[in-house]
Amino acid sequence: MKEILTSDISKAVKELCISANLYLEPDMQRALQEAADTEKSPLGKKILGQLKENLSIAEKEQIPICQDTGMAVFFVKLGQEVHLDGSLTEAINEGVRMGYEEGYLRKSVVGDPLLRINTNDNTPAIIHYDVVPGDELKITIAPKGFGSENMSRQFMLKPADGVEGVKNAILQTVKEAGPNACPPFVVGVGIGGDFELSCILAKKALTRSIEVRHSLPHIRALEAEMLDRINQLGIGPAGLGGKNTALAVNIETYATHIAGLPVAVNMCCHVNRHKTVTL
């Protein structure tokens, strides 16, 4: 049995909140550079250059890479042999409070969706738990801005719609998003499960490195095809035209009911913030 102090968890979460909002992950930096190198549209190439410059300024000045520092979303893997001295949920939320305060990050959470009163500390976070074998606690943060979140969609397709229905759902979502989700995008797709699990799968897909393709050959082929078809739409950087509409399409799947084919498409902007710590 391994004991982990909740105070250490809060400190780790605080650092995750700050670093995820100040620094882009290496896979995303490489993808942006490749997009800038391959973009044929002069305006698109200029915009990609400005995005890269923004990243450099954020790192140098220690300011967020996007003004929308997002709602704090977490994927947590808790080892069965881990013992905690308190509430894991409270520890994570305390880390969010500290991170958004000490990091001077915009606090964007309202406590009631209708009364719209800001909680002033960016809590509560959204936390997805998974109990796994072992004695480690793995915490992944994915701060999610709502420019792209608002353009995400969920579809309850019929089994007869098949893979073509899945493709159409993805393309429809991207077309409707247009410039509003801040392209070039990373597109997270969840296929299977039920209504809510498909959406969680789509969000989780965004936390996977865009340099890692799916292990199943038919899903890996679908990721490649959809990236190609999305980039043929011509939406381009900032929606002003070009070949780089998306940087990646990440798909996650799960078993589903014989009568259903749930599909969720979670749009994400070019920063696609995510970081992980293991305690």
Side-chain angles (χ1 to χ4, degrees):
M1 187 67 68
K2 177 181 178 181
E3 182 165 5
I4 299 178
L5 300 178
T6 52
S7 58
D8 290 338
I9 296 171
S10 295
K11 291 175 184 176
V13 169
K14 178 189 76 171
E15 295 303 322
L16 279 179
C17 291
I18 295 172
S19 67
N21 275 293
L22 267 57
Y23 309 106
L24 199 61
E25 286 290 89
D27 62 320
M28 295 302 302
Q29 292 188 34
R30 288 189 287 268
L32 275 177
Q33 182 61 58
E34 182 179 353
D37 292 341
T38 60
E39 182 56 60
K40 302 300 182 183
S41 163
L43 181 55
K45 185 177 284 289
K46 181 179 180 181
I47 291 167
L48 289 166
Q50 290 173 336
L51 295 179
K52 289 171 56 189
E53 182 182 6
N54 176 69
L55 294 175
S56 297
I57 294 172
E59 182 173 355
K60 181 180 178 181
E61 301 293 334
Q62 291 293 281
I63 55 178
I65 52 181
C66 177
Q67 77 278 5
D68 185 350
T69 52
M71 195 165 187
V73 180
F74 292 89
F75 289 92
V76 178
K77 291 186 176 181
L78 175 63
Q80 291 174 321
E81 298 174 36
V82 171
H83 176 265
L84 305 173
D85 67 339
S87 167
L88 180 52
T89 297
E90 289 180 9
I92 291 173
N93 277 312
E94 179 59 24
V96 172
R97 291 186 191 98
M98 294 190 299
Y100 275 75
E101 181 66 29
E102 295 180 27
Y104 300 99
L105 306 175
R106 194 180 84 182
K107 304 168 186 70
S108 304
V109 174
V110 294
D112 184 287
L114 299 181
L115 298 180
R116 314 299 294 181
I117 299 172
N118 200 300
T119 62
N120 293 318
D121 59 11
N122 223 57
T123 67
I126 296 173
I127 311 171
H128 304 288
Y129 289 110
D130 189 12
V131 178
V132 298
D135 63 355
E136 293 183 337
L137 173 62
K138 187 175 182 180
I139 304 173
T140 297
I141 186 174
K144 195 64 166 68
F146 267 56
S148 58
E149 192 75 354
N150 284 339
M151 303 311 298
S152 302
R153 297 290 181 267
Q154 201 277 352
F155 302 82
M156 295 303 292
L157 303 181
K158 300 183 294 294
D161 292 325
V163 68
E164 290 305 314
V166 173
K167 294 175 185 179
N168 290 336
I170 297 170
L171 289 173
Q172 177 186 331
T173 303
V174 173
K175 288 177 184 177
E176 291 177 354
N180 296 324
C182 301
F185 311 122
V186 176
V187 183
V189 181
I191 307 173
D194 57 3
F195 177 81
E196 80 275 5
L197 182 57
S198 64
C199 296
I200 295 172
L201 290 170
K203 180 63 60 61
K204 187 177 182 180
L206 294 174
T207 68
R208 191 176 89 214
S209 168
I210 63 173
E211 297 173 343
V212 176
R213 304 283 25 103
H214 202 281
S215 59
L216 295 175
H218 68 292
I219 302 299
R220 186 162 61 245
L222 182 58
E223 289 176 333
E225 178 185 345
M226 295 315 300
L227 179 60
D228 181 63
R229 291 181 65 176
I230 288 170
N231 282 333
Q232 290 181 31
L233 296 175
I235 295 171
L240 296 174
K243 63 168 287 189
N244 288 284
T245 297
L247 301 174
V249 176
N250 283 6
I251 300 175
E252 295 293 332
T253 66
Y254 196 81
T256 193
H257 191 277
I258 56 173
L261 179 56
V263 178
V265 185
N266 198 189
M267 300 299 298
C268 193
C269 64
H270 68 278
V271 296
N272 188 29
R273 294 163 292 196
H274 56 277
K275 283 191 180 293
T276 299
V277 66
T278 301
L279 301 175

